[in-house]
Amino acid sequence: MQVITDPIELQQQCMQWQREGLKIGLVPTMGYFHDGHLALMKKARPLCDKLIVSLFVNPTQFGENEDLDKYPHDFEGDKAKAEAQGTDILFAPEKSAMYEADHATWINIPSLGEHLCGASRPVHFQGVCTVVTKLFMLARPDVAVFGQKDWQQLAIIRRLVRDLNIPVEIVGQEIVRESDGLAMSSRNAYLTEEERAAAPAIRKGLLKAADMIQSGERTAQAVKDFLKKEYASTIPMGTVDYIELVDPNDIVPLKTITGPALAAVAIQVGKARLIDNILIEV
Ligand code: AMP
């Protein structure tokens, strides 16, 4: 496995592979790999000839008071894990190599970023769309894999690629969980023992909400009220950022559930902002 830090070197290598007719796969990440990240690499590996994993804690997707400076990292560990998955290039650029001091071009899809994480993290998806577009221009992937844990992000990337005719197939990977149901996240490392013990209740609440809907509840507000109460008692130290039922493609809140619904939550638990979701088919 080659480690590349220079964006132009990556681009030249990928353009060469493209000329040779090789299929390129890309897995964008911010590092501190867990089994969720490795599942994306496993999914991408058989879909391409050359697998590129990017490791870049993208500053433009963090708000001012967020955890950019504290984001966990373990470069040597990540390198070994990416290599073990058969990665060909680990692309780990410096921030200054990705953004010139006078960087001025932004990609944004305001309508899809209005709710859920977009509502509480106003610059987040603009940063994501911009860096992912840059990664697409550098790596020229035929296929790119993203996790459903960040469902809104996946919906936004699909729309970005469709609207701008970017020739890449977007593949979604199901959420990888700990044995007690907690969605794996690099940010779980921030949890204290007590917080970690409460955190699986996020998933349990979502499963109960799905049951409610499967049993006939069609009023979104009733489901949200249930979840609010549930989390107040099961995660007393948590602060709900949002509890929402949205259309899974347009990420617009639903009043009445008449088709597929995505139940999505974000809860601040100590230093960790934890997100999870469940797709409910009716
Ligand atoms: P991150 O490094 O947190 O930005 O995540 C990089 C990619 O891994 C994104 O596409 C995430 O959606 C995906 N991802 C993170 N955690 C999980 C998980 N538990 N299950 C599946 N995909 C995940």
Side-chain angles (χ1 to χ4, degrees), residues 28-31 34 36-37 40 71 146-147 149-150 153 174-176 184:
T29 81
M30 299 203 302
H34 51 65
H37 294 113
L40 305 192
Y71 201 80
F146 293 84
K149 171 159 173 284
D150 300 275
Q153 167 175 283
E174 282 174 16
I175 302 176
V176 177
M184 289 191 182

Side-chain angles (χ1 to χ4, degrees), residues 104-214:
T105 306
W106 300 102
I107 308 268
N108 202 2
I109 312 180
S111 61
L112 287 188
E114 207 177 310
H115 302 284
L116 308 188
C117 291
S120 42
R121 307 184 72 191
V123 298
H124 179 66
F125 288 117
Q126 172 176 293
V128 168
C129 286
T130 304
V131 81
V132 168
T133 305
K134 283 169 73 72
L135 291 169
F136 286 164
M137 301 308 286
L138 294 170
R140 312 296 185 105
D142 297 278
V143 57
V145 184
F146 293 84
Q148 290 176 355
K149 171 159 173 284
D150 300 275
W151 185 285
Q152 186 176 21
Q153 167 175 283
L154 179 56
I156 286 175
I157 302 291
R158 287 191 194 282
R159 193 69 62 94
L160 165 75
V161 159
R162 189 204 68 182
D163 287 354
L164 298 185
N165 305 103
I166 303 178
V168 57
E169 180 195 349
I170 303 300
V171 174
Q173 160 65 42
E174 282 174 16
I175 302 176
V176 177
R177 299 178 180 283
E178 302 287 355
S179 56
D180 57 13
L182 176 64
M184 289 191 182
S185 165
S186 306
R187 290 188 168 100
N188 291 350
Y190 299 151
L191 297 172
T192 65
E193 208 175 308
E194 185 200 5
E195 291 160 356
R196 176 63 189 79
I202 297 177
R203 166 72 169 167
K204 291 197 183 91
L206 286 173
L207 287 172
K208 286 187 190 169
D211 271 352
M212 256 176 105
I213 295 169
Q214 303 294 10

Side-chain angles (χ1 to χ4, degrees), residues 23-28 37-53 85-88 141-146 169 171-173:
K23 209 171 160 188
I24 297 171
L26 174 69
V27 174
H37 294 113
L38 304 189
L40 305 192
M41 298 175 205
K42 282 197 177 87
K43 181 149 243 173
R45 187 59 279 186
L47 302 177
C48 60
D49 299 306
K50 296 290 181 185
L51 175 58
I52 297 164
V53 173
Q85 294 306 321
T87 300
D88 293 286
D142 297 278
V143 57
V145 184
F146 293 84
E169 180 195 349
V171 174
Q173 160 65 42

